[in-house]
Amino acid sequence: MSRSVFRIVAIPFMAVVFGVLIGALLIVSQGGSPAEAYKALLVGGLGDSDAVLRTLQKATPLIFGGLAVAFAFKAGMFNIGGQGQLLVGAVFAAGVGFGIDGLPVLIHLPAALIVGAVAGALWGGIAGTLKATTGAHEVIVTIMLNFVAGNLTDWLAANPWKDNSGSNIVARTPLVENSATIPTIGAVPVGFLLAVAVSVACWLVLERTSYGFEVRSVGHNRHAAQYSGMKVGWIMSSTMAVSGMLAGLGGAVESLGVDGRFEAGVNVGLGFEGITIALLARANPLGVIPAALLVGLMEAGAARMQYKSDVAPELIDVIQALILFFVAAPIIIRWLLRMRHDNSEQLQLGAGWGKS
Amino acid sequence: MTETLLGARKVRKEFPGVLANDDISISLQPGRILALLGENGAGKSTLVNILFGMYRPDEGHVIIKDEIVDLRGPDEAISRGIGMVHQHFQLVPPMRVVENIVLGAEPTRRGLVDLDEARTRVIALSERYGLEVDPDALVEDLPVGMQQRVEILKALYRDADVLILDEPTGVLTPQEADHLLGVLRELTETGLGIVFITHKLREVLAIADDIVVLRNGQVVGETRPSDTDESDLAEMMVGRNVMLQVEKSVSRPGDPVLEVKELEVKDDRGQIALDSLSFEVRAGEILGVAGVEGNGQRELVEAITGLRAPSVGVMKIEGEELTGESPRQITKKGVAHIPEDREKHGVVAIYSLAENTILNRYHRKPFSIRGILRRDVIRSHAQDVVDEFDVRTPSISVPASSLSGGNKQKLIVGREFSDDIKLLIAAQPTRGIDIGAIEFIHRRILEQRDKGAAVLLVSAELDEILGLSDRIAVLYDGKIMDVVDAQEANREQIGLLMAGITD
């Protein structure tokens, strides 16, 4: 058991190590001190309760985005539409958040979250249904729907739902009501706890339910799934809806817990980072949590790193890209690892590779 | 004078966890046919891949024309005169025969392919070896036997002195196979040497000069056809005495279980694959469907199991309409299906054996209740299947991909047979598996018949059809040529029907 856990974790872990090491070389090449820079990064992300809060806030939408991509991966599909699903989730959750008042928090907040989730589910479901019925590739459809979602939410924030208070000229909605705001307990945003709970729920659904069994079967071998009587088309469209729901929930949590409103342009790119997270987590819903925490930590600490050691914050993007590169090209890591392990480990890794 | 045209000397090759070739030595002399005989996993493919430069041996040497060589890849093997005809043809279907033959070694003039020159050379070659082909025909329009001829010409065009043929008769009718054996014999008269890989004992005895039997990566026997017979060879291959023919009682057929009327089914390209087919299978009998692959067998199986919608026709099971039902509903009516392609349809390779045993029943009690999988029930069910169907595995938690073909097939059969079956569709149930597993699966199929199931057996192995069936339907070009009583059937008669000839 411990050996198999080791094998699952080895690649992402080594990818992070190599990413950080190469990042250190880059810092040196810029005349900086890696020790100082990384220390500033850690302090900026973990140093005090504000830093931890920042890290957890950054990690929360990454968990949702990562789950969205991971869930679709399990059915053998690539959801590149996390961005669009997140945006529609964010704008509709905000809409419910500011548009209704006088509701108790126990009704208002869940209602806003659910509306955001449903909006994301519908947005993702379009791509899944098109794939199941016409064979349209989900990668293309979700990319195109990202543009539609971007423009739709911009328009909503700039026109019907625009914040007209004072002299505001920004395309953004009014602040959501207090009854729709996700609270923070100490340094822990409740949205983060929700994200962790949803991760566990995703894992349980995939591993312990007959629906999850169908999803994984379709992902691993669509032909065998069909032969076994599973409805492959239904699994594809429902999986994409679940995937979109997860991304939409991430957007809702952003609007209701971090930004307090929907503002055009604020969440750009968040949806795409889900791909990084899912790959780093090797599509395991539980692995998404540490992967998102790691990336969240780096993003939360980047500002301090720049301030303390004069290293450009873009270095964080480079390190992320390197980590992703090593995760996506595990053969390099296996090759590097082989040189360090004895013979028996070599065979183990070799055999694992052949099977995966 | 060359002694060894192609050979291996003390070759050893190890893969993680498997010793695929252990101290193997063989030697092929000019003008001779060497048959490599062994079950799947015996090490034949590894050995051939080493001889063809695909793998490097860990120890030992490859010998070409009495010279020790260190092959760096198939290119080098080809340039040294080794030609290989793979089991799955390496041809470009929409291209012409001549283009396929010269592909990669095209004659050129001023940087452009000189097709006229190529055609001249191909024609000369085919005349020299008596292998007639139409150089301008498209490969996709050619029958399989002809495509194989193109493959052989491709090797000869590259001046091969040695031909390696991997299971060359698997896709041919008995008559085509006999013809191929004749062609190969003629080829050797020019001094060519041939390595012939097969698991069909009859062919080995018919064609080989020398026979090498492999088992578990080792050479377990070297003999000549005059010194051996089928049961001897089988024993060498398996390592114990085997029954080549299952014993079966006379069938006592009951009422029709499956009725098929005027069935028309189209293939993936929209062409008619089954043309107004009508037949029935009765309880307690095995109807064998013989035929060269690609004559509608796949479409027939897919139509009955609900994987492909027929365009016209009616299918009934015990009088109940089957047409248009989903695979799951059809399974529910008591239809079990051993799929033809075990890797594609039969198992999910990375799933554990336990997960594979519930592929078609995970949604039912007791395997899941209200959508939640019951892992203890699933595990004990899997353990029962593994025990009862003799699946050799260290545990039910290992992935299906770690099983040999025979054990995978036993797992599938075990899964499909764990309910009461009214109709069993067995498509190529023993393809590519070892003799021990074949014997086991044949016995289990007969058991189902004797318990009263109707069995539709689709197989490209004529021996299997003849050995198991009570009645035999021969499928050719989407039509049933004839249905004959198995007791009166003989190989020649069925072979002619398989070729579409009805006196």
Side-chain angles (χ1 to χ4, degrees):
Chain A
M1 191 63 203
S2 63
R3 161 148 285 178
S4 71
V5 168
F6 166 78
R7 266 169 45 191
I8 292 165
V9 176
I11 297 291
F13 180 76
M14 292 313 289
V16 171
V17 170
F18 289 132
V20 168
L21 286 178
I22 295 176
L25 291 178
L26 289 172
I27 295 171
V28 171
S29 76
Q30 300 297 306
S33 152
E36 210 175 287
Y38 285 146
K39 188 180 159 218
L41 185 73
L42 285 176
V43 171
L46 293 172
D48 51 31
S49 66
D50 276 357
V52 171
L53 176 65
R54 258 199 316 273
T55 296
L56 296 183
Q57 268 181 351
K58 293 272 186 202
T60 303
L62 297 177
I63 293 180
F64 284 113
L67 287 177
V69 177
F71 205 93
F73 267 157
K74 289 286 180 187
M77 291 193 290
F78 198 6
N79 177 11
I80 306 211
Q83 181 66 42
Q85 295 142 16
L86 181 142
L87 286 176
V88 296
V91 83
F92 284 102
V96 174
F98 77 81
I100 307 172
D101 60 4
L103 286 178
V105 66
L106 279 179
I107 295 178
H108 199 182
L109 179 56
L113 286 171
I114 288 168
V115 167
V118 169
L122 292 174
W123 211 252
I126 295 172
T129 307
L130 283 177
K131 168 139 184 158
T133 53
T134 70
H137 202 287
E138 77 278 4
V139 167
I140 310 291
V141 175
T142 52
I143 287 178
M144 294 196 296
L145 282 174
N146 281 344
F147 290 102
V148 179
N151 288 310
L152 174 70
T153 54
D154 281 0
W155 176 79
L156 281 173
N159 294 290
W161 290 358
K162 190 173 177 206
D163 173 15
N164 288 319
S165 62
S167 57
N168 175 45
I169 53 158
V170 180
R172 66 181 193 197
T173 67
L175 282 170
V176 300
E177 300 290 327
N178 278 338
S179 57
T181 302
I182 302 175
T184 296
I185 304 170
V188 183
V190 171
F192 176 76
L193 299 178
L194 180 66
V196 171
V198 171
S199 304
V200 174
C202 282
W203 185 84
L204 285 172
V205 166
L206 285 169
E207 300 296 324
R208 293 284 186 268
T209 67
S210 52
Y211 176 72
F213 187 72
E214 291 176 337
V215 169
R216 290 184 290 129
S217 301
V218 169
H220 290 310
N221 186 342
R222 190 169 299 174
H223 303 288
Q226 192 198 15
Y227 152 85
S228 309
M230 299 178 191
K231 296 192 177 93
V232 175
W234 156 247
I235 294 299
M236 290 198 290
S237 46
S238 65
T239 302
M240 280 302 281
V242 171
S243 174
M245 181 195 81
L246 293 163
L249 208 46
V253 170
E254 278 294 281
S255 288
L256 306 173
V258 182
D259 307 328
R261 56 160 47 101
F262 177 82
E263 184 171 333
V266 164
N267 296 318
V268 166
L270 264 186
F272 290 109
E273 290 189 76
I275 299 168
T276 312
I277 305 296
L279 285 174
L280 193 52
R282 315 207 85 194
N284 182 329
L286 297 181
V288 161
I289 301 170
L293 282 173
L294 177 77
V295 174
L297 166 69
M298 291 199 286
E299 291 179 358
R304 186 182 174 89
M305 181 180 77
Q306 178 185 23
Y307 164 69
K308 281 283 183 188
S309 61
D310 205 23
V311 172
E314 284 77 13
L315 179 75
I316 295 303
D317 295 336
V318 174
I319 293 178
Q320 273 185 38
L322 284 167
I323 292 173
L324 197 56
F325 170 77
F326 284 119
V327 170
I331 195 163
I332 299 174
I333 289 195
R334 288 193 165 103
W335 178 70
L336 289 165
L337 278 182
R338 262 171 210 220
M339 305 202 306
R340 299 187 181 185
H341 284 274
D342 59 27
N343 258 349
S344 63
E345 195 54 48
Q346 229 184 62
L347 290 182
Q348 277 292 334
L349 284 163
W353 183 41
K355 271 180 227 151
S356 67
Chain B
M1 181 69 197
T2 315
E3 285 287 313
T4 297
L5 208 46
L6 176 66
R9 186 184 294 164
K10 291 185 178 301
V11 160
R12 178 188 167 91
K13 180 76 188 174
E14 199 173 335
F15 293 110
V18 195
L19 184 52
N21 277 183
D22 183 12
D23 195 29
I24 291 188
S25 299
I26 62 163
S27 165
L28 171 71
Q29 277 103 42
R32 292 181 78 85
I33 297 180
L34 171 73
L36 270 184
L37 187 65
E39 303 207 273
N40 277 50
K44 290 173 301 186
S45 309
T46 304
L47 178 60
V48 166
N49 280 325
I50 288 173
L51 295 176
F52 196 56
M54 306 271 277
Y55 298 147
R56 275 186 164 184
D58 298 336
E59 282 168 34
H61 304 286
V62 173
I63 296 161
I64 295 178
K65 293 174 196 138
D66 291 334
E67 202 184 311
I68 289 178
V69 292
D70 183 15
L71 296 174
R72 258 155 301 181
D75 292 355
E76 193 177 342
I78 291 169
S79 70
R80 286 178 182 273
I82 313 296
M84 178 140 177
V85 177
H86 294 269
Q87 195 174 359
H88 303 284
F89 300 152
Q90 318 277 310
L91 298 171
V92 189
M95 283 171 65
R96 293 179 194 291
V97 167
V98 53
E99 291 167 319
N100 266 285
I101 291 174
V102 302
L103 190 68
E106 310 86 356
T108 54
R109 199 172 54 187
R110 284 186 238 113
L112 299 175
V113 176
D114 188 349
L115 264 191
D116 291 333
E117 170 66 17
R119 190 176 293 111
T120 317
R121 288 198 210 170
V122 166
I123 291 169
L125 198 66
S126 71
E127 277 169 4
R128 180 167 154 220
Y129 289 105
L131 293 166
E132 210 172 297
V133 286
D134 171 6
D136 292 308
L138 298 181
V139 164
E140 61 191 1
D141 295 336
L142 295 179
V144 180
M146 209 42 116
Q147 294 190 10
Q148 190 171 51
R149 188 172 282 190
V150 176
E151 279 279 16
I152 294 173
L153 280 169
K154 213 167 112 181
L156 295 174
Y157 178 83
R158 285 159 179 73
D159 296 323
D161 314 301
V162 178
L163 274 183
I164 303 174
L165 296 122
D166 190 4
E167 299 274 358
T169 56
V171 291
L172 306 177
T173 65
Q175 280 83 2
E176 283 176 315
D178 288 345
H179 180 75
L180 174 72
L181 298 187
V183 168
L184 295 180
R185 179 46 70 200
E186 278 172 38
L187 285 176
T188 57
E189 278 158 23
T190 64
L192 204 81
I194 291 174
V195 179
F196 189 92
I197 300 161
T198 187
H199 65 277
K200 291 186 188 168
L201 305 170
R202 196 163 18 81
E203 285 170 8
V204 171
L205 293 174
I207 184 87
D209 297 306
D210 307 291
I211 303 172
V212 172
V213 185
L214 298 184
R215 187 172 77 230
N216 295 331
Q218 288 173 320
V219 174
V220 290
E222 283 177 88
T223 179
R224 294 191 171 175
S226 50
D227 305 336
T228 186
D229 60 30
E230 287 196 25
S231 67
D232 242 20
L233 288 175
E235 199 171 325
M236 268 194 259
M237 267 165 78
V238 184
R240 64 180 170 83
N241 208 341
V242 284
M243 304 272 296
L244 288 173
Q245 194 73 31
V246 275
E247 279 180 46
K248 67 173 207 210
S249 53
V250 182
S251 76
R252 276 181 295 274
D255 295 332
V257 173
L258 174 71
E259 293 168 84
V260 173
K261 281 201 190 90
E262 306 284 313
L263 185 71
E264 181 188 293
V265 182
K266 296 200 166 120
D267 65 15
D268 294 332
R269 295 190 296 176
Q271 310 285 322
I272 289 181
L274 292 177
D275 191 359
S276 100
L277 214 62
S278 298
F279 65 91
E280 60 177 37
V281 191
R282 286 171 290 171
E285 74 161 355
I286 299 180
L287 176 69
V289 176
V292 179
E293 274 186 83
N295 277 286
Q297 293 93 328
R298 175 174 305 163
E299 288 80 7
L300 175 62
V301 168
E302 289 181 349
I304 298 172
T305 52
L307 292 167
R308 184 182 291 269
S311 33
V312 184
V314 178
M315 297 174 289
K316 285 184 182 162
I317 177 162
E318 290 188 338
E320 252 185 281
E321 186 83 23
L322 212 63
T323 327
E325 299 275 19
S326 71
R328 176 146 303 162
Q329 286 164 316
I330 290 170
T331 310
K332 227 166 139 187
K333 292 184 200 292
V335 180
H337 175 194
I338 303 174
E340 132 183 336
D341 188 335
R342 118 180 113 244
E343 309 295 335
K344 186 172 170 189
H345 292 115
V347 294
V348 176
I350 83 156
Y351 270 180
S352 68
L353 306 197
E355 287 173 304
N356 271 296
T357 57
I358 56 156
L359 264 186
N360 58 356
R361 63 194 66 228
Y362 65 93
H363 57 289
R364 296 197 321 231
K365 281 180 186 171
F367 306 101
S368 68
I369 290 181
R370 275 181 243 106
I372 309 292
L373 296 174
R374 304 208 24 228
R375 305 209 301 155
D376 46 343
V377 177
I378 292 167
R379 293 187 65 82
S380 75
H381 169 70
Q383 195 61 53
D384 290 348
V385 169
V386 163
D387 292 345
E388 198 194 327
F389 286 83
D390 190 31
V391 180
R392 311 272 168 85
T393 174
S395 102
I396 56 167
S397 311
V398 300
S401 57
S402 68
L403 297 184
S404 70
N407 280 308
K408 256 182 231 164
Q409 195 71 352
K410 285 193 273 186
L411 184 76
I412 294 168
V413 169
R415 176 180 74 211
E416 296 301 316
F417 286 12
S418 27
D419 290 314
D420 280 336
I421 300 175
K422 285 183 194 160
L423 171 66
L424 168 65
I425 313 285
Q428 320 292 355
T430 58
R431 166 167 295 170
I433 65 178
D434 52 277
I435 293 185
I438 291 177
E439 195 187 349
F440 183 90
I441 287 172
H442 282 173
R443 262 193 287 120
R444 291 303 175 121
I445 292 176
L446 281 171
E447 233 172 71
Q448 288 295 332
R449 180 200 76 167
D450 294 340
K451 273 164 57 183
V455 180
L456 184 72
L457 169 73
V458 177
S459 176
E461 299 275 349
L462 195 46
D463 292 325
E464 181 165 47
I465 294 278
L466 289 167
L468 284 183
S469 310
D470 301 308
R471 291 186 301 141
I472 300 172
V474 184
L475 204 55
Y476 172 77
D477 199 19
K479 297 190 190 73
I480 289 181
M481 301 302 291
D482 201 1
V483 181
V484 294
D485 193 311
Q487 305 238 292
E488 294 152 17
N490 64 58
R491 173 172 290 281
E492 286 66 37
Q493 173 201 10
I494 303 281
L496 287 172
L497 289 169
M498 281 166 73
I501 299 162
T502 51
D503 20 78

